[in-house]
Amino acid sequence: MTTPAEFTAALRAREQLLGYWCLLDAPVATERIARLGYDYVALDAQHGLFGYSGMLNNLLAIDSQGSTAVGLVRVEANDPAPIGRALDAGATGVIVPLIDTAAQAAEAVAAVRYPPLGRRSYGPMRSALRIGPDPADAHDATVVLAMIETAEGLADVEAICATPGLDGVYVGPSDLRIALGGASSTDPALADTFEAALGTVREAAAAAEIAAGIHNPDGASAAKRLAEGFTFATVACDLVHLEQTARQHLSAARPSGTSGGAL
């Protein structure tokens, strides 16, 4: 099982890492996913379908025997309260949404680090067992990732990446494509503009020697982004993949154009 310190060291060294994204409050399913070989499993507390107890129970599932992954949490906002709760619950790191400026990135870092490096409140309920009770343990084994998903964030990405203490940036492709003028989260008309934006993020992260990650709909897309120079990539997500697999089985079992019978 990968330890938080091992994962953090690998991410900071810009080694290639692969993760999975969970929206559902389904700890048994999350436990199975965490055993598959992913380096991390990210829980979405911004758009996901669970509250604090769900986040805690799914982090416990990720850390169960046989897991290959550590748990990350995409928090609901760049605010010390949800960031602290996720870390106290045992998350190895947080993904902080809607970072527009270097000043906001510095606020996220401060919320993750204890004084004198930051302003995280001390109350490591579960992280004391998972990571360690001392601030130095948390600093060594906890990561903070800033999401680049707005036009403002893209414009300031070099300064964001240079923020002291920031471990990496993470592209939210749906929001970024819309922010750049897309009519939808997958608008093909924005393809060239979007790809250029990804190059800008990758180059800024490489120059600052921090990790660069991106969200992906499937494994093939994740492999493509890693080959392009992103250092970590997430495959998303349990809710969508459940629906896709169920539809595939239905199509295989029932010929096109036929209807189901009454139960």
Side-chain angles (χ1 to χ4, degrees), residues 65-91:
Q65 185 176 5
S67 171
T68 64
V70 300
L72 304 181
V73 174
R74 197 250 295 264
V75 295
E76 61 196 65
N78 186 12
D79 182 276
I83 290 172
R85 282 196 297 270
L87 296 175
D88 289 347

Side-chain angles (χ1 to χ4, degrees), residues 87-147:
L87 296 175
D88 289 347
T92 295
V94 290
I95 302 169
V96 184
L98 298 170
I99 298 297
D100 291 335
T101 66
Q104 292 176 357
E107 291 173 358
V109 172
V112 170
R113 309 297 180 209
Y114 291 110
L117 302 180
R119 57 193 297 261
R120 178 181 171 185
S121 178
Y122 187 80
M125 296 297 97
R126 180 168 175 266
S127 64
L129 303 176
R130 176 71 177 136
I131 293 173
D134 297 330
D137 297 326
H139 296 160
D140 287 342
T142 302
V143 299
V144 53
L145 307 170
M147 291 200 74

